Amino acid sequence: MIRTFILALFATAVLASGAGAQPAAQSPYGKAERRDPIFLRYNQMADRYWVNTETMTASHKVVAVPLPRQCAFLYADSYSKGQMSESEVQEVALSNCNRRLAELGPLGENYGVNCQCKVVISDGVYVVPRDMLPDDSYGPTSIFYRDNSGNVARLNGVARYGALIGRDRSVTFSVENVRAEQVCDGTFTNDGPSSGKFSLSCFGGKFSGNGSYERKMGAPNDHIIARGQTSRGLPIVLVIGLPAQLAAGTYGGI
């Protein structure tokens, strides 16, 4: 009886780990397209999915991201090898997404929602409703600045910005705090594919700053680091794409 209980518990865990995933053939949500926002957001993923001949021709292709949409600041894609089934490839993508999310540290200082990885595309078909997916780019955000007393202050939240930073000449963005209240807005103006200028205004214009930004790709996660000065000439640092604790440990010293 104990063995039966353990097996039942294991089966429940396996089902839970794949929650939200379903075979592409059973999904009513339609086919994925190359120009869909999720592929514009992740260029490397788009290349593997649509261009790279080794991965493009895989028998099973799966993409997982954290949801709800404001949590989708990273992704995991998986492609079949050998005789892997669609469900096995889904499990790999989901596991990799969960691992990456955990490695970046806690999200509670940025998000008032619970971010959970879900399989969103399987074999070229959406397996979640399209309106659950991000239509712009999102990322956990921290703003570090020195106040009039010289102390380092910090504002944490989530940024929303255009998906084509580095391609469009100018991209606007906004920042919400952990209570989902918009507190800042700003603009990135690119000088090249990975760098440019930024301006930022917060709390109805009571606080502002400007300077230069750089996109950093790869470990620990793709992110934007912007450095400049406030309107009072004091240093300010904006980080998009790293959870608050990781951002503070990396850039919080300003």
Side-chain angles (χ1 to χ4, degrees), residues 16-17 19-20 64-74 94 97-98 101 107 111 113-120 128 132:
S17 69
V65 299
L67 293 177
R69 64 172 64 188
Q70 63 266 37
C71 298
F73 67 99
L74 60 83
L94 195 60
C97 181
N98 284 322
L101 200 61
L107 299 174
Y111 291 95
V113 297
N114 184 24
C115 299
Q116 293 185 314
C117 286
K118 301 286 186 182
V119 170
V120 297
V128 298
M132 292 179 60

Side-chain angles (χ1 to χ4, degrees), residues 11-30:
T12 301
V14 170
L15 289 172
S17 69
Q22 61 179 304
Q26 298 178 8
S27 175
Y29 303 120

Side-chain angles (χ1 to χ4, degrees), residues 97-158:
C97 181
N98 284 322
R99 174 182 52 77
R100 288 198 61 202
L101 200 61
E103 287 175 349
L104 293 176
L107 299 174
E109 293 184 59
N110 299 96
Y111 291 95
V113 297
N114 184 24
C115 299
Q116 293 185 314
C117 286
K118 301 286 186 182
V119 170
V120 297
I121 299 174
S122 186
D123 289 357
V125 173
Y126 287 104
V127 293
V128 298
R130 289 173 183 259
D131 60 7
M132 292 179 60
L133 299 172
D135 50 0
D136 277 335
S137 296
Y138 295 81
T141 300
S142 294
I143 301 172
F144 307 96
Y145 59 96
R146 291 197 179 275
D147 60 23
N148 293 335
S149 300
N151 299 314
V152 177
R154 181 171 68 174
L155 171 65
N156 298 322
V158 180

Side-chain angles (χ1 to χ4, degrees), residues 16 20 29 35 53 55 89 101 108 117 134 156 168 180 196-197 216 233 251:
Y29 303 120
R35 300 297 296 175
T53 55
T55 50
V89 180
L101 200 61
C117 286
N156 298 322
D168 291 353
K197 303 292 191 297
K216 290 186 173 291
Y251 299 108

